[in-house]
Amino acid sequence: MSAGERSRVASTGPGEAERVELTVGPVAHGGHCVARLDGQVVFVRHALPGERVIAQITEVRRDFLRADAVTVLDASPDRVVPPCPWAGPDRCGGCDLQHVAPAAQRRWKTEVVREQLRRLAGLTPEQVAELDVRVEELSGGPLGWRSRVRYAVDAAGRAGLLKHRSHEVVPIDWCRIARPAIQELPVLTPSGRLWPDADLVEVVASSGGDVTVHGRRTTGVLGGGDLGEAAVPPSGGPTDGGAGRRNGAVDPTHGAGGPTDADGGPTDAAAPDGAGERVREVAVGRTWRLPPEAFWQVHPAAAETLAAAVLDLLAPRDGESAWDLYGGAGLFAAALADRVGPTGRITLVESAEPAVGAARDNLADLPQIEVVRASVGPALRRRRIVGPVDLVVLDPPRAGAGAEVVRAVAAATTRAVAYVACDPAAFARDARTFREAGWRLAALRGYDLFPMTQHVELVALLLPAES
């Protein structure tokens, strides 16, 4: 390729770049690989390490470029044909890795975790190797697993998913990684369903057999989310978008009703007066009844897998005390309660109102659990919860717990911390803060809770260095 063909124009904007030939290097956090063009870093999506590709520059920054591989000249043996026709450059931005064989996806994520530990946690290559980190497959396969989907709605009222780093809605026919009960709903454009009064459609197919659909109006379509979907504003519950249910699906000609079970009949999850809609989730030997907007893991096997990992790593003892920070609806608190017994004490801290209400309702039979509605940082800083405490579970949002929370936990005279993380970079930064406070990363497990995407879930055990 000539020098003229390889030149870049500084004014080139996203989607208007020229094409260049690249030899693709290692994977990096964010669902892309790293290449270099005349010494400048290029983050390339839809590629694999070792490939030679023609890439289209999608964004020009002073320090780096972004690009999509649009033609593969020399393919990796790990490359496959994406199972979804909407996956690829300038299409749906939800699934970053559909071009990668499932086993290679897990190797990709494993290497991302290891690289973050070296770069951000400050671990040596020998320390990373000693952890023997690997990302494990969950049951169910790489497709048809996602139990919660948020669709964005375009100006024509069509529901779909967003392009990568864009507000543009792609009106897909159906989402291949969504649960079959979601795929069958007449929500998307092929069904003829439009959403003129909504800019976001939230769909849930719970492990208890309930299906709900809500259209809602927000302040605007926002980028983000695991599936390229619109992000949810921090306040306000979903509103009725005019979709009812019939035989487990949505009847677009009727108003909204309560959740349905697998046979189409009403469940006892809905309140008799129609208020307080609930969906059922089944985990750790309990049936949970939650508002559809309350957080719950989107992979059907995730709740059991993560709870089992936390218990295995912490090894709770009868009569111990524990904090469940960012505790949500109380999954980990319930799992811990069974181990610490009636003489134990668990404090769950959560700030989101739907989750707090769900925790109080679903854990009412466990008197050893106290639910505190508060943000974790202020709760620790203002001593709404105080140590010493035996065990801590940290399950923060994607941004991580942060230095303030980590330092407070490290100072709480606890014997062990289980850290559940959905972002390896944020986790690595917090792990470094733990290490600076005199703690060590004793164990780390990875789980492929989000096949076909770049995302990975981690469960870590952190111990005082002297233990």
Side-chain angles (χ1 to χ4, degrees), residues 22 28 70 74 94 99 105 109 127 144 186 199 231 243 246 263 268 271 287 293 307 340 361 365 381 393 424 454:
L22 299 171
V70 294
D74 294 323
H99 64 290
Q105 291 181 30
K109 297 177 187 187
Q127 289 171 322
D199 54 30
R246 183 174 58 195
D263 298 320
D268 59 2
T287 297
E293 69 270 22
V340 303
D361 290 345
D365 62 320
R381 185 170 60 250
V393 178
Q454 58 152 318

Side-chain angles (χ1 to χ4, degrees), residues 34-50:
V34 179
R36 291 190 178 271
L37 178 64
D38 297 331
Q40 188 167 28
V41 170
V42 186
F43 294 112
V44 189
R45 284 170 54 83
H46 312 294
L48 279 155

Side-chain angles (χ1 to χ4, degrees), residues 6 21 52 104 116 157 179 233 281 298 360 419 453 467:
R6 292 172 58 88
E21 182 179 320
R52 190 167 60 91
Q116 297 303 298
R179 297 285 290 164
E281 299 287 357
V298 297
R360 288 173 174 161
Y419 190 128
T453 81
S467 65

Side-chain angles (χ1 to χ4, degrees), residues 131-335:
L131 286 169
D132 192 26
V133 183
R134 60 191 69 239
V135 175
E136 299 178 22
E137 180 182 14
L138 269 65
S139 62
L143 301 174
W145 53 266
R146 191 175 179 103
S147 63
R148 282 162 165 76
V149 177
R150 296 171 185 158
Y151 297 109
V153 179
D154 67 11
R158 301 175 301 177
L161 297 171
L162 298 182
K163 289 186 178 181
H164 180 63
R165 299 178 63 83
S166 171
H167 292 172
E168 183 178 348
V169 177
V170 181
I172 65 171
D173 53 0
W174 51 283
C175 178
R176 274 67 177 172
I177 67 171
R179 297 285 290 164
I182 293 177
Q183 295 176 2
E184 295 165 2
L185 294 172
V187 171
L188 299 172
T189 304
S191 71
R193 181 71 163 101
L194 297 178
W195 301 87
D197 298 322
D199 54 30
L200 184 67
V201 181
E202 300 177 313
V203 187
V204 176
S206 75
S207 58
D210 302 322
V211 178
T212 67
V213 179
H214 287 100
R216 60 183 293 184
R217 172 67 65 185
T218 70
T219 56
V221 176
L222 306 175
D226 295 344
L227 277 178
E229 69 269 24
V232 180
S235 62
T239 58
D240 173 14
R245 289 93 177 152
R246 183 174 58 195
N247 296 328
V250 174
D251 178 358
T253 65
H254 290 77
T260 66
D261 62 19
D263 298 320
T267 75
D268 59 2
D273 62 358
E277 183 178 27
R278 298 289 186 270
V279 296
R280 295 166 299 172
E281 299 287 357
V282 180
V284 296
R286 304 172 69 85
T287 297
W288 306 73
R289 288 171 171 79
L290 313 167
E293 69 270 22
F295 174 80
W296 193 260
Q297 292 288 344
V298 297
H299 194 293
E304 292 285 0
T305 298
L306 297 178
V310 166
L311 292 179
D312 186 44
L313 291 173
L314 288 181
R317 304 163 188 163
D318 188 64
E320 284 194 312
S321 60
W323 291 345
D324 183 7
L325 305 182
Y326 312 94
L331 171 70
F332 298 123

